[in-house]
Amino acid sequence: MAKQYETVIGLEVHVELATKTKIFCSCSTSFGGAPNTHTCPVCTGMPGSLPVLNKQVVEYAIAIGLATNCEITRVCKFDRKNYFYPDNPQNYQISQLYLPIARNGYVEIETGDTKKKVRIHEMHMEEDAGKLVHDEWDDTSIVDYNRSGVPLVEIVSEPDMRSADEVLAYLEKLRMIIQYLGASDCKLQEGSMRADVNLSVREMGSGKFGTRTEMKNLNSFKAIARAIEGERQRQIELLEEGRAVVQETRRWDDNKEYSYAMRSKEDAQDYRYFPEPDLVPVMIDEAWIEKIKMMQPELRDEKLARYKKEYEIPEYDARIITESKHMADIFEKAAAICKNPKKVSNWLMVETLRLLKESGMEPEEIRFSPENLAKLVKLTDSGDINSSVAKQVFVKMFEENTDPESYVKEHGLRTVNDEGELRAVLEQVIADNPQAAADYKSGKEKALGALVGQTMKIMRGKANPGQVNQRLKELLG
Ligand code: ADP
Ligand code: MG
Ligand code: ZN
C-alpha cells in the first residue's frame, strides 16, 4: 500500500509597521520616492552614527503581541545579526534574538467547520534592509536604501499547520488583526507583509518531524498555496526514492511552479549574534501595557457583535464586511449618511465583491468613498434612478470613485417622471407594435413584456419599469 504523508508547516511572517518614520532614525518610511532620498547617516550605516529607537514601533509591537495572546517581555533588548550583503550597509541588522518583545501566543483559525489554534513561538522587532536592483542589460546592480531601517516585526509560528488552507487562514487572520490595529496595511504584493514557509513531510502517524526546507519569494496567497503543493510533492518524491530532504533555503519560482535551492540553511551561530551595544534595554511596565490596551481600536470580533445588534443585516454579510477593516469603515460611514444599512450592505456584498473578483483586487483596494456610495443609495431610494442605471453608475464609481449625483446629471440618467413625455413614447410604441398590443388585449400577458422592453429602449433605461408597466396596462386597458 502506498505510504500516506502529512505536511507540517511553520511560518515566519514579516510585517512592515505603519510608522511615519524609520525604526532608528527620523527618515520617512513612505513607499516609492526617488532612490536614496529617504536616507541619512543612520540608515546608510555611516561610521559614528547612532540609532535612536522609535517609540511607536514598540507600541505597535506590543499591540500586535496582545492581540495575538502573547506574553509581553518586560525587559526587552536588541541584538546584532552580522552578515555582509550590499543591501545591508552596516554589515549587521539590528534585530532581537535573546529577548524578543513577545512570546507564547496563539491565534485561532477556522477552516471549513473546524477551529484550531496556531501557536506563536515569538515575535521580534527588527529593521528592514535596502533594495538591490539588478540591471541585466547593463550587467550592474544598484542599491536603494529608502527601505533600509523601515521597522518590521517578525512573527514566528510553531509548526502547527497541516495544509495550505490552514496556512492561508492563519495569514488572513494575522492580516485582519494587524490591519484592525492600524499597525500595517499588510499588502503582500507591495511587500508590507511577507511570509516564509517552512515545510516538511512525514509519514502519517509518525511522532517525529521530518527535515524542513524554507521557501522565500512568495508574494500572493495563490503563490503560497502553489508553493506548498509543489514543495510537498518534491519532498515526498525524494523520500519515495529513498533519498533525504536537505535542510536549506529555497526560492519559489511561481512561473515554473518549482522551488530552487538558494543556500544551505544557516544557524544562529553563523550570524555571530551579540547584544546591540548602542541601544539601552526597553523596560516595559504594566502601566504602559494598560495604556496600549485602552487605546486599542474595536477589533473584528467586537465589531461583528456590534453589527448584529445595530444593523439588520444577515450575519453572513456582517462577517464578510468585517473581514476587511477598510470595507467595514466604508459600510459604517455610508450607512450613517444614507440611513439605509441594508442597501449599503447589498452594494458591498453583490456588486462590489463581483467587481473585486473580476479585477483580481483585494477589499483593501476599494477606491470609492462612503460618501459616494451613500449618494448612490439615496438616488435609488428616492426613485431618481432605476436599478439598471444604478448598476451602470456603480461600475463608474467603483473604477474612479465618480460622484454618482454629478454623473447622473451629466449623462441625463435621471428616471423620467414627466407623465407627458412618457405617455407620448408609450403611444408611439403601441402604434409601432400593433401585433403585441393586440396579443395583450386578447389575454396574452406575456406580450406586455415586449412593449415594456421597447419603451425602456427608447427611453434609454431612464424610465421606471414599474411605472411603464402600469401605464401600458392602463392605455391598453
Ligand atoms: P531556525 O531558528 O533555524 O530558523 P526555528 O526553530 O526558528 O528555526 O523555526 C523556524 C520556523 O520553522 C518556525 O516557524 C517553525 O515553526 C518552523 N519549523 C521548525 N521545524 C519545522 C519542521 N520540521 N517542519 C516544518 N516547519 C518547521
Ligand atoms: Mg528562524
Ligand atoms: Zn535615516
Side-chain angles (χ1 to χ4, degrees):
M1 201 180 84
K3 285 181 185 160
Q4 297 284 316
Y5 291 91
E6 180 177 49
T7 318
V8 173
I9 306 164
L11 294 191
E12 291 162 285
V13 177
H14 284 91
V15 175
E16 268 181 14
L17 298 178
T19 55
K20 291 202 171 61
T21 57
K22 294 185 180 180
I23 183 167
F24 300 122
C25 63
S26 53
C27 292
S28 163
T29 55
S30 63
F31 188 73
N36 298 306
T37 51
H38 303 162
T39 54
C40 74
V42 174
C43 56
T44 50
M46 294 296 159
S49 64
L50 287 171
V52 178
L53 178 60
N54 182 341
K55 189 174 174 189
Q56 181 69 62
V57 171
V58 183
E59 298 199 331
Y60 278 147
I62 293 175
I64 297 171
L66 291 172
T68 52
N69 309 294
C70 288
E71 295 158 13
I72 305 298
T73 307
R74 299 313 161 98
V75 182
C76 163
K77 293 182 186 168
F78 286 92
D79 305 291
R80 278 191 189 178
K81 181 181 182 179
N82 297 281
Y83 68 97
F84 168 78
Y85 206 64
D87 64 6
N88 171 32
Q90 303 165 125
N91 284 347
Y92 58 83
Q93 177 195 31
I94 304 181
S95 180
Q96 298 190 291
L97 179 71
Y98 302 108
L99 292 167
I101 187 152
R103 279 188 285 214
N104 301 328
Y106 67 88
V107 295
E108 198 166 58
I109 60 165
E110 266 181 78
T111 44
D113 289 335
T114 16
K115 280 188 184 168
K116 134 171 198 183
K117 278 180 184 167
V118 174
R119 289 168 302 155
I120 290 170
H121 179 69
E122 58 114 332
M123 176 179 76
H124 59 261
M125 301 177 280
E126 60 187 23
E127 53 180 339
D128 208 346
K131 206 153 104 190
L132 273 176
V133 184
H134 305 289
D135 187 333
E136 281 171 34
W137 293 104
D138 227 13
D139 199 20
T140 55
S141 292
I142 45 178
V143 66
D144 175 5
Y145 290 120
N146 283 353
R147 203 179 62 186
S148 168
V150 166
L152 297 175
V153 288
E154 178 175 342
I155 304 165
V156 183
S157 84
E158 296 291 349
D160 284 350
M161 287 158 276
R162 298 289 176 267
S163 65
D165 280 352
E166 289 186 3
V167 168
L168 297 191
Y170 170 74
L171 285 170
E172 269 164 12
K173 189 68 186 257
L174 275 187
R175 183 166 72 164
M176 196 155 75
I177 291 170
I178 297 169
Q179 283 176 346
Y180 262 91
L181 290 170
S184 174
D185 56 12
C186 294
K187 288 185 180 159
L188 272 84
Q189 289 83 350
E190 283 182 18
S192 57
M193 185 179 201
R194 296 166 236 160
D196 300 338
V197 173
N198 295 272
L199 184 150
S200 63
V201 295
R202 63 175 171 187
E203 252 188 81
M204 206 59 107
S206 159
K208 237 177 73 205
F209 288 143
T211 305
R212 73 174 191 272
T213 60
E214 177 176 351
M215 271 186 298
K216 292 190 177 291
N217 193 40
L218 304 163
N219 50 21
S220 71
F221 282 158
K222 283 192 184 123
I224 290 170
R226 282 191 287 265
I228 288 171
E229 191 47 36
E231 181 59 11
R232 185 186 109 84
Q233 277 173 13
R234 192 189 68 87
Q235 291 189 12
I236 290 174
E237 270 167 37
L238 283 174
L239 297 182
E240 291 277 298
E241 291 167 7
R243 301 195 309 180
V245 174
V246 181
Q247 184 171 339
E248 63 193 355
T249 304
R250 301 179 67 86
R251 184 175 202 281
W252 175 252
D253 185 329
D254 203 36
N255 292 319
K256 303 210 169 73
E257 299 206 15
Y258 195 78
S259 70
Y260 295 88
M262 249 167 90
R263 55 172 190 250
S264 65
K265 172 80 182 145
E266 57 293 304
D267 284 327
Q269 294 96 294
D270 299 330
Y271 290 113
R272 298 181 288 113
Y273 275 99
F274 64 84
E276 167 58 54
D278 289 338
L279 288 164
V280 292
V282 189
M283 312 299 277
I284 302 170
D285 60 14
E286 205 56 47
W288 196 10
I289 292 179
E290 278 310 309
K291 204 178 115 206
I292 290 167
K293 273 189 193 157
M294 299 269 293
M295 282 172 1
Q296 281 204 350
E298 178 188 50
L299 293 182
R300 200 283 185 105
D301 292 343
E302 298 158 323
K303 201 183 268 298
L304 193 56
R306 182 168 63 80
Y307 277 25
K308 279 190 217 164
K309 267 193 270 160
E310 253 172 55
Y311 305 110
E312 279 175 20
I313 61 172
E315 170 162 0
Y316 177 79
D317 298 15
R319 278 186 176 274
I320 301 277
I321 291 170
T322 56
E323 245 166 43
S324 150
K325 168 83 164 35
H326 183 52
M327 189 125 109
D329 285 345
I330 293 175
F331 170 76
E332 287 177 36
K333 284 193 192 130
I337 301 170
C338 70
K339 312 267 185 309
N340 192 340
K342 183 87 198 89
K343 277 238 178 94
V344 172
S345 150
N346 277 346
W347 280 113
L348 294 173
M349 292 299 297
V350 185
E351 292 302 299
T352 307
L353 291 185
R354 182 176 69 79
L355 291 173
L356 283 176
K357 195 163 175 217
E358 261 178 38
S359 46
M361 284 162 64
E362 298 283 342
E364 268 9 78
E365 295 168 281
I366 296 174
R367 283 185 291 260
F368 59 78
S369 66
E371 289 77 16
N372 281 341
L373 179 54
K375 281 184 188 175
L376 185 65
V377 171
K378 280 187 181 166
L379 285 169
T380 53
D381 277 352
S382 61
D384 279 327
I385 59 175
N386 64 37
S387 63
S388 69
V389 167
K391 274 189 195 157
Q392 179 190 332
V393 176
F394 182 81
V395 172
K396 270 281 167 211
M397 194 181 89
F398 181 88
E399 284 166 358
E400 299 160 24
N401 190 25
T402 310
D403 177 335
E405 275 172 10
S406 5
Y407 187 82
V408 164
K409 204 179 255 171
E410 265 167 45
H411 293 81
L413 295 171
R414 204 168 282 274
T415 303
V416 175
N417 288 318
D418 179 336
E419 284 290 322
E421 185 184 345
L422 180 59
R423 194 183 169 102
V425 174
L426 291 175
E427 280 168 355
Q428 187 64 47
V429 168
I430 291 170
D432 289 348
N433 299 276
Q435 188 59 50
D439 286 351
Y440 176 76
K441 280 186 189 162
S442 66
K444 285 188 192 157
E445 287 274 339
K446 270 192 187 160
L448 197 69
L451 298 172
V452 174
Q454 271 301 311
T455 312
M456 292 305 285
K457 203 166 149 192
I458 293 171
M459 306 283 290
R460 298 206 323 276
K462 290 182 291 181
N464 175 332
Q467 193 186 11
V468 170
N469 229 293
Q470 189 61 32
R471 292 286 167 278
L472 269 174
K473 281 184 184 166
E474 286 165 16
L475 284 173
L476 296 170

